[in-house]
Amino acid sequence: MAKRERVVRMSVEQPLWRALTGYRLLTMLYAVGLFASAYKKFDRPGIAAGYLAVLALWTLATHRKVANATSCTKRFLGADLTVALAGVLLTPVADTAERIAGGGPTLPSIWTAGSVLAFAIKGGWRWAGFASTFVAAANIVIHGGEPTRDTLHNVLLVWVASIAIGYVVEVARASEATLARALEIEAATRERERLARDIHDGVLQVLAMVQRRGTDLGGEAAELGRMAGEQEVALRTLVSTGLVNPSRVSRDESRGALVHSYEVEDEGEGEGEGGGELDLRTLLAPHAGSRVSFAEPGTPVPLPVPAAKELAAAVGAALDNVRRHAGEGASAWILVEDWGDEVIVTVRDDGPGIPAGRLDQAEGEGRMGVALSIRGRLRDLGGTAELVSVPGQGTEVELKVPRGRTQ
């Protein structure tokens, strides 16, 4: 039975939510303890006791809300911050002016920081700055616009700490996404290597044997052998790059022969003809076969979807010319180069070459294959198509597409 790779994602922020849950419970008990130790000094201890009772019930009832980012909704964050701000603003009503002026704690005390930290973990440093600004304003209001040095110190500490934690959370999330992607790539690579071993041990060897025996037998068996060779190349491309999807084999009634076609995943699908980018390699890889070699960069070659399709069509036209004029026995090579500001695709064959003046003669006779199918497509993309042919030494077509003009 095949062994499937499994990627396990670890949440970097989940420990922060658990820590926040514990912080809220501990600071709620701390606020209650502060009041219990100094309740005789309050002007209206009943108001303070009532608020702290509400705070305790709210903390216990909502501890699951701060268990993860999903349950900690925007509505909850707003309500939680309201409870904290209400406690701060009720402090002058319940406590004496002397205690407040002397730097005494507010009713919720450091529990308020938990509300701000929830904003930071949920939405990052911007959300943290938003919530801590309200807390700072409430603390300034209860001091009549003239807060003490300790109050300013505490407010600034909460503001800076929450923003710093929010920023760290954002960086952690980005790192988590990068790590998860790396793990997926690693798992896919291992699976591809396993498939490559299995295919090499079985399918590729069978296809190679069919190709050799078919060539020896000749006739229809030679055609099957040729197709087996092309399938072998396609499978090697698939297991090494993952660019070519399995082919479909069907019978072409007009020619009375089996033909094959490759399915290439269109990365720009669903984005419209003019939107998105497409890896040029995915369009050119299916051309690889027993007589067509394909050399590509190790990284994607992105181009706007229309430009990628037009360039691939020009390459297809060049290969059609090879088959038509160089003969079935000719070999061809496709080379893709990505220079950043431009993409160059070279198609070369080992055919007899093109006699001097033959292209001008073909255009005069109305055969516009090179002029229209190749040069015309490249001209529309703002690129160029250069053809070099030496009789007896084959033909080379160099297609250049500048990136800045293919939008």
Side-chain angles (χ1 to χ4, degrees):
M1 182 178 293
K3 184 178 178 181
R4 184 181 297 273
E5 292 286 351
R6 186 163 161 262
V7 177
V8 180
R9 296 191 180 188
M10 294 181 60
S11 174
V12 220
E13 63 183 82
Q14 193 56 42
L16 295 176
W17 289 113
R18 288 197 292 266
L20 179 60
T21 303
Y23 177 87
R24 286 164 60 88
L25 290 172
L26 292 175
T27 52
M28 179 269 293
L29 295 174
Y30 177 72
V32 173
L34 281 179
F35 167 72
S37 64
Y39 74 96
K40 293 181 180 179
K41 300 177 182 179
F42 280 77
D43 273 349
R44 298 180 180 87
I47 295 177
Y51 169 77
L52 290 171
V54 171
L55 181 68
L57 291 174
W58 173 261
T59 304
L60 294 174
T62 61
H63 74 282
R64 293 184 180 275
K65 286 289 187 179
V66 289
N68 52 66
T70 305
S71 58
C72 187
T73 61
K74 292 181 180 179
R75 181 176 297 180
F76 166 74
L77 288 174
D80 197 56
L81 184 61
T82 301
V83 171
L85 295 177
V88 175
L89 296 175
L90 277 175
T91 302
V93 181
D95 209 348
T96 63
E98 291 78 12
R99 275 171 49 84
I100 295 174
T106 59
L107 291 180
S109 184
I110 56 176
W111 185 92
T112 306
S115 296
V116 178
L117 292 177
F119 273 85
I121 301 174
K122 172 71 175 181
W125 69 269
R126 294 176 182 84
W127 287 31
F130 171 81
S132 57
T133 299
F134 278 95
V135 173
N139 277 275
I140 292 174
V141 166
I142 66 171
H143 286 87
E146 298 180 358
T148 64
R149 179 180 300 178
D150 288 342
T151 300
L152 288 176
H153 176 270
N154 294 335
V155 165
L156 184 62
L157 179 62
V158 171
W159 196 75
V160 172
S162 61
I163 289 180
I165 291 175
Y167 178 75
V168 169
V169 168
E170 290 186 359
V171 173
R173 283 178 181 150
S175 302
E176 180 184 5
T178 303
L179 176 61
R181 178 59 181 157
L183 291 174
E184 288 176 355
I185 293 174
E186 182 185 3
T189 301
R190 287 199 298 267
E191 180 68 9
R192 184 176 298 160
E193 290 174 352
R194 185 189 65 80
L195 288 173
R197 290 193 299 269
D198 293 345
I199 291 175
H200 183 271
D201 292 341
V203 179
L204 290 179
Q205 292 181 5
V206 172
L207 289 174
M209 183 185 68
V210 171
Q211 181 188 19
R212 290 194 301 270
R213 294 295 301 275
T215 303
D216 294 340
L217 292 174
E220 293 185 0
E223 176 66 14
L224 290 175
R226 181 187 65 80
M227 293 176 59
E230 294 180 353
Q231 292 292 324
E232 179 189 2
V233 173
L235 277 175
R236 291 188 187 277
T237 304
L238 171 64
V239 298
S240 61
T241 66
L243 294 178
V244 183
N245 289 334
S247 63
R248 293 195 304 266
V249 179
S250 58
R251 177 171 294 277
D252 188 342
E253 298 295 340
S254 63
R255 293 188 292 173
L258 293 176
V259 298
H260 65 279
S261 60
Y262 294 97
E263 295 180 353
V264 180
E265 183 178 355
D266 187 349
E267 295 178 1
E269 185 177 352
E271 299 186 27
E273 282 297 315
E277 290 188 332
L278 183 62
D279 186 357
L280 179 64
R281 303 177 305 165
T282 62
L283 297 180
L284 300 184
H287 290 300
S290 59
R291 297 192 179 276
V292 180
S293 299
F294 177 52
E296 55 177 319
T299 56
V301 184
L303 281 175
V305 174
K309 290 182 177 180
E310 285 295 294
L311 183 54
V315 172
L319 292 174
D320 286 341
N321 286 334
V322 173
R323 286 188 289 268
R324 187 178 298 112
H325 302 295
E328 291 293 334
S331 297
W333 293 265
I334 305 173
L335 172 64
V336 180
E337 300 174 274
D338 188 350
W339 292 96
D341 58 340
E342 67 177 356
V343 174
I344 302 177
V345 181
T346 304
V347 181
R348 183 171 61 87
D349 66 70
D350 61 355
I354 303 175
R358 180 56 183 152
L359 289 179
D360 294 335
Q361 179 185 352
E363 292 184 21
E365 295 173 353
R367 293 195 290 270
M368 307 292 287
V370 173
L372 188 61
S373 296
I374 299 178
R375 288 176 178 158
R377 292 179 187 276
L378 271 294
R379 184 172 57 250
D380 292 342
L381 297 176
T384 59
E386 297 181 5
L387 187 145
V388 178
S389 183
V390 178
Q393 298 183 22
T395 303
E396 180 177 297
V397 180
E398 186 179 73
L399 311 174
K400 294 183 179 180
V401 177
R403 270 211 169 83
R405 300 177 58 185
T406 57
Q407 303 298 326

